[in-house]
Amino acid sequence: AQSVTQPDIHITVSEGASLELRCNYSYGATPYLFWYVQSPGQGLQLLLKYFSGDTLVQGIKGFEAEFKRSQSSFNLRKPSVHWSDAAEYFCAVVRFGNEKLTFGTGTRLTIIP
Amino acid sequence: GAGVSQTPSNKVTEKGKYVELRCDPISGHTALYWYRQSLGQGPEFLIYFQGTGAADDSGLPNDRFFAVRPEGSVSTLKIQRTERGDSAVYLCASSNGGTQYFGPGTRLLVL
């Protein structure tokens, strides 16, 4: 069965600093990979996705993620965070031919001045 | 509307009662999904519809949970004899292949 690990439960970053959120997946073949963001009381918003091709994918709000097959990772990055980036971030995978998303437990991002 | 909508946004019920949660997918999306998100956890898959039929209901926790999508658009998640452990945010998503787009969720509290 596929699984997703987000090892960092909570990360605190200063406004303007760079950010990297970790995501590792367990699956025998290359899955489809996603990052979603959830603000308090809001639904999940898609930041970016990887299906195939270029392993560095660009998303909305200045986020990017890099797929590394050798490390089974899909880490999310942003060069300079803004206070509005404070939210919960979820990595998710779906196996080709299987429609259900498997989510990690999420990383809560706090931004300090 | 442009996105997935869910009603009600909040629902408080008593243990043992029956509840229905509604999802309106993005117009034209053939696939519809239900997930449940408990506090401090990521969403967990419940059921997936392709058109009117449930293509995968392997995530439904027990027979108290049931979902329908009779006309291939709106879906209703039904929970019978609610228990306190059913308290969670119930999320709906729709897709036309590939990316799933989520609604704001229904927060269910069972007292």
Side-chain angles (χ1 to χ4, degrees), chain A residues 79-91:
Chain A
S80 177
V81 298
H82 186 262
W83 64 266
S84 60
D85 294 325
E88 187 93 21
Y89 291 80
F90 292 95
C91 182

Side-chain angles (χ1 to χ4, degrees), chain B residues 6-70:
Chain B
Q6 294 186 245
T7 53
S9 54
N10 292 279
K11 177 69 177 178
V12 181
T13 191
E14 294 178 343
K15 180 176 177 295
K17 299 291 188 182
Y18 168 82
V19 296
E20 289 189 353
L21 312 179
R22 175 187 168 104
C23 173
D24 274 278
I26 293 171
S27 178
H29 279 193
T30 57
L32 185 146
Y33 312 78
W34 285 99
Y35 294 83
R36 178 168 71 174
Q37 185 176 20
S38 300
L39 197 61
Q41 300 296 315
E44 294 180 317
F45 170 80
L46 295 177
I47 186 170
Y48 151 56
F49 288 89
Q50 184 61 251
T52 60
D56 183 348
D57 65 358
S58 61
L60 294 177
N62 51 60
D63 61 6
R64 296 186 298 105
F65 288 75
F66 188 70
V68 295
R69 195 185 185 200

Side-chain angles (χ1 to χ4, degrees), chain B residues 84-95:
Chain B
R84 292 192 180 90
D86 298 335
S87 296
V89 176
Y90 289 81
L91 296 167
C92 177
S94 70
S95 154

